[in-house]
Amino acid sequence: ITQESSMPAEIFRTETGPAARLFPGSPAPTATSYDEIPYDSQAVADTHPDHMAAIAALFGIESPDPAHCRVLELGCARGDNVMAMATTLPGASFLGVDGSARQIAEGEKRRKGAGLDNVKLLAADFALVPEDIGEFDYVVCHGVYSWVPPETGNLLLRLCRRHLAPGGIAYVSYNTYPGWHRKEMLREMMLFHVRSLTRTSERIEQARGILQFLTRFAAEEGGTHRAVFEVLARELAGTGDSYFFHEYLEENNCPIYFTEFAERTAAADLQYVGAAGAMPWDNNLSKEVADALGQLENRIVREQYLDYLCNRTFRRSLLSRAGVPRTESPDAGAVRALFASANAWPARPEPDVTSDAPEEFVTQTGKRITTNRPLMKGALAALARRAPGFLSFEELWKEARLLAGEGEPGASTEDLPPILLRCCLSGFLRLSRRPPSFSLRPPERPRAAALARIQAAEDARVTTLLHENVKLDDLDRFVLTHCDGTRDRGDLVLLLVSAVEREEFSLTDSGGFPVRELERRRAFGGDAVEASLERLAGMALLME
C-alpha cells in the first residue's frame, strides 16, 4: 500500500518488494528511533518562563523572576527550545536533557555557533539524571510524558518534583482521552499493517498508505466510521515524517484521562495549577453548560467533563509543588501587574470602536471573536496597533479609552481586567510578566539573534523573540542571515544584488519582467531589502 494507491487490488498484492508485504510481524521501533528520526526540535511558546510566570500569576503564584531563573527541560531533543529561551533571557541559565546522543550532539554544535554560554545540554537516560544538578525555577517536559511507558512517565513527574524549586512551575504536555481513542484506533491499524517491516521509511510510507486506503474504502456506517479517517487524514496531510512516526508508529504512546493525570501528579507530591495555553472552548461555554458543570464537586472533575464535551486529544498543564497556595480559578485582578500583546486583529481595516455595533477580531490561525462593547473593541484595536509590542495595563487602559471615546461612558478600570483575562484564556491576546525586548522598526544596522540567523541559514522556520516559530520566504531568510549588526541597508542591498547576479534570486518589475540593469537592480534591491526588514521587525525578529 502506498500513498498513491487508488484501488484495493494494488494493496493486496503478493509479489516481493519493499512496499508489497501487507501481512508482516516486526519488532517495534528500537530505543534508538530518536537517533534515526530526530524529533522535530523547535520553540514551544507555552513553555517560555515568562509565559509560565504570567499564567501562574493569574492563579495567585508569584513564581521566580524569569530574567534570572534556572530552567530544566526533560526531553529537549536538539535543544532549540531552551536555546531560544536563552536568547531572550541572557541572565538565566538552562539545562536540556535528552536520551538521544545524536540530537544532543547536533544541539551542542548549534549552541556553540550561537554563542549561548548560559545553556548546557546533557545526553542521559531519565533514570540516570544526576541528583546533584540542583533545583530549577521552571521545569519543562514537552512531548515526552505520553511517549514513554507509564512507569517512566511517573519517573518524569518525580524528577519534576525533585528538581522543582519552592514557588517554581513545571510544564507537562500529554495526549488525552477521550479524543485519542479514535486516533488510537488508527495507530493500532497502522502498527498491525507495518508489523513485519523493519525499515523506518518503509513503515512510514505504508502507514500513510493504509490511512489513504481507509479514507477511501471504509464503510460509512451512518457517516461516522469513514468520517473518522477522513478527519485524521486531513490532520496528518501536512505533517512531516518526524511527527508522524513518533506519534503513530513509536513503541509507546500512552494517552491518559485528565483525572488520572491529576492523581499521578498528586502521588508525585505535585499539584495542578492550570492549563498552560489558551483553551477557547472551555472559556466560552453557554450558560446552560456552565451551570451544569458548576454543580460538580471540584475543578479537576469539571475539567474532565470539559474533555468529554470537546473530545480533547492533548493537554498542556502547569504544576507546582503540592501545598503551594493558589487560587482555584484565574483571578482577573492579577492582569493589572502584567503586560499584554495582540494575538488578534480587526477583521475590517477601519473597525467601528466607538459605537455598540458588533466588530469581529481574527487571529492568525483563524479563530474569531465578536464584541459590541466599545471598551473591549478599543482594547483589542489598541493592542493590534502596537503589535507585536506590549502595553502595560495602565497604557492599555488609556489607549482603549481614547479609541472608545464616549462609546462606553460609565466604564472604569475595574471593567478592563475581566475583558483581558477572557481574551487571554481564549487566545486573543498574550500576557507577559516581563516582555521580551525587540525592535519594532528596523534599526540602521539591523541585528537578529545568532540562533535565528543559524536557523534561517539551514531552514525556512525560525524562532522569533516572542518565542514563536515563523516560516520565512527565501528573500527574508537571506536578509535575516546577514543581519548581524555590522551591516547597514546599503550593505544588505549590495549582498542581495550580488546574489541576484549569481542567480540565487530574481528581481522583477511591476510587469513581472526580470530586472537586468545593475542600477535598476540596486533600486529594486533597495525596495526589496526595506520591505523585508519591515516584515522581519513585524515578526519580532530584530533586536534593539
Side-chain angles (χ1 to χ4, degrees):
I1 195 171
T2 65
Q3 284 185 268
E4 293 73 34
S5 297
S6 58
M7 296 296 293
E10 297 178 10
I11 300 167
F12 299 102
R13 56 186 185 227
T14 58
E15 70 270 21
T16 59
R21 292 164 288 181
L22 182 72
F23 301 107
S26 84
T30 68
T32 61
S33 62
Y34 286 92
D35 290 312
E36 183 179 1
I37 300 186
Y39 192 78
D40 192 17
S41 184
Q42 60 180 307
V44 181
D46 291 342
T47 68
H48 194 283
D50 176 70
H51 174 82
M52 289 198 280
I55 300 301
L58 298 179
F59 288 90
I61 299 177
E62 186 176 352
S63 54
D65 183 355
H68 307 288
C69 67
R70 295 192 71 208
V71 178
L72 168 66
E73 181 167 17
L74 299 168
C76 67
R78 189 175 56 192
D80 285 59
N81 193 36
V82 287
M83 285 190 278
M85 294 176 188
T87 298
T88 56
L89 297 173
S93 61
F94 302 84
L95 173 62
V97 180
D98 198 273
S100 170
R102 172 187 171 182
Q103 291 187 104
I104 291 296
E106 291 175 352
E108 183 63 12
K109 180 179 179 181
R110 178 169 287 198
R111 182 198 68 78
K112 290 180 179 178
L116 294 170
D117 296 332
N118 57 338
V119 177
K120 292 183 179 179
L121 300 176
L122 173 66
D125 185 274
F126 297 131
L128 302 178
V129 173
E131 290 191 32
D132 62 2
I133 61 174
E135 292 183 340
F136 294 81
D137 304 309
Y138 299 93
V139 178
V140 174
C141 186
H142 178 74
V144 182
Y145 184 84
S146 288
W147 296 266
V148 293
E151 58 271 19
T152 306
N154 291 333
L155 169 63
L156 287 169
L157 293 177
R158 293 196 299 272
L159 286 175
C160 287
R161 174 59 182 86
R162 188 175 84 186
H163 297 290
L164 190 62
I169 298 294
Y171 165 107
V172 181
S173 66
Y174 47 99
N175 286 336
T176 57
Y177 293 128
W180 241 90
H181 278 304
R182 66 180 184 179
K183 292 189 174 187
E184 199 164 48
M185 174 179 69
L186 174 61
R187 168 177 151 83
E188 291 170 353
M189 293 175 179
M190 287 179 172
L191 289 174
F192 177 81
H193 182 63
V194 303
R195 65 194 184 281
S196 70
L197 305 180
T198 55
R199 286 199 299 122
T200 300
S201 59
E202 205 177 329
R203 291 167 66 84
I204 294 171
E205 179 190 15
Q206 289 284 312
R208 290 188 185 273
I210 192 66
L211 174 56
Q212 185 185 65
F213 178 64
L214 292 166
T215 301
R216 297 196 61 187
F217 302 111
E220 294 201 17
E221 285 191 3
T224 59
H225 186 54
R226 186 189 299 178
V228 168
F229 300 119
E230 291 171 344
V231 170
L232 293 174
R234 287 194 295 271
E235 289 180 2
L236 293 170
T239 59
D241 286 350
S242 174
Y243 173 85
F244 185 90
F245 177 82
H246 294 300
E247 193 77 352
Y248 283 89
L249 299 179
E250 268 290 0
E251 179 180 2
N252 295 293
N253 193 331
C254 307
I256 190 172
Y257 281 102
F258 174 66
T259 48
E260 187 178 359
F261 178 78
E263 291 170 357
R264 293 186 184 182
T265 59
D269 199 30
L270 295 166
Q271 67 181 3
Y272 175 65
V273 174
M279 302 180 80
W281 192 87
D282 301 44
N283 293 284
N284 292 278
L285 302 174
S286 67
K287 184 177 184 305
E288 185 178 9
V289 173
D291 289 346
L293 296 180
Q295 301 175 42
L296 298 172
E297 59 265 37
N298 59 55
R299 181 167 63 125
I300 300 297
V301 174
R302 286 196 295 275
E303 292 207 26
Q304 180 62 76
Y305 275 84
L306 285 169
D307 286 7
Y308 292 157
L309 289 170
C310 71
N311 202 34
R312 201 178 322 272
T313 61
F314 187 69
R315 270 185 174 267
R316 302 173 176 89
S317 294
L318 297 185
L319 311 172
S320 72
R321 285 186 175 190
V324 171
R326 50 111 169 91
T327 59
E328 284 295 302
S329 57
D331 175 20
V335 171
R336 291 175 174 272
L338 302 175
F339 297 78
S341 178
N343 203 29
W345 289 261
R348 299 193 309 134
E350 298 294 333
D352 178 1
V353 177
T354 59
S355 76
D356 60 359
E359 284 290 347
E360 187 176 55
F361 293 81
V362 187
T363 68
Q364 289 182 340
T365 58
K367 291 185 293 185
R368 298 173 181 271
I369 187 172
T370 301
T371 178
N372 64 350
R373 285 199 64 179
L375 182 60
M376 185 171 180
K377 292 189 290 183
L380 291 174
L383 291 173
R385 286 186 175 189
R386 298 287 287 269
F390 286 79
L391 292 173
S392 69
F393 179 83
E394 292 76 15
E395 291 171 327
L396 181 54
W397 164 252
K398 291 177 182 177
E399 294 206 18
R401 286 292 290 159
L402 184 64
L403 289 176
E406 296 301 318
E408 201 166 335
S412 71
T413 56
E414 298 301 319
D415 297 313
L416 188 56
I419 290 174
L420 299 182
L421 177 62
R422 182 178 178 185
C423 287
C424 170
L425 297 177
S426 299
F428 293 100
L429 61 82
R430 78 190 82 201
L431 294 175
S432 169
R433 179 169 159 182
R434 182 184 286 271
S437 175
F438 51 86
S439 179
L440 293 172
R441 292 287 178 267
E444 182 62 28
R445 295 182 180 273
R447 180 169 65 97
L451 178 64
R453 286 187 275 118
I454 291 172
Q455 291 173 331
E458 297 178 357
D459 191 12
R461 187 185 62 200
V462 301
T463 304
T464 74
L465 297 169
L466 290 171
H467 208 64
E468 295 179 338
N469 304 297
V470 295
K471 192 171 184 179
L472 304 182
D473 62 24
D474 289 343
L475 174 61
D476 289 348
R477 287 179 62 194
F478 178 86
V479 172
L480 185 67
T481 58
H482 294 93
C483 288
D484 60 3
T486 67
R487 300 178 173 94
D488 61 18
R489 284 163 173 75
D491 297 325
L492 294 173
V493 171
L494 290 176
L495 287 170
L496 177 60
V497 171
S498 297
V500 171
E501 292 174 351
R502 296 192 301 270
E503 298 184 349
E504 296 175 8
F505 291 96
S506 175
L507 293 175
T508 57
D509 59 22
S510 58
F513 296 100
V515 179
R516 303 189 185 282
E517 298 83 0
L518 179 59
E519 289 305 315
R520 291 188 69 211
R521 279 183 176 177
R522 288 177 177 173
F524 277 82
D527 292 341
V529 166
E530 191 62 39
S532 177
L533 290 174
E534 289 291 338
R535 287 192 297 271
L536 296 175
M539 289 183 278
L541 280 165
L542 299 182
M543 306 179 80
E544 288 187 328

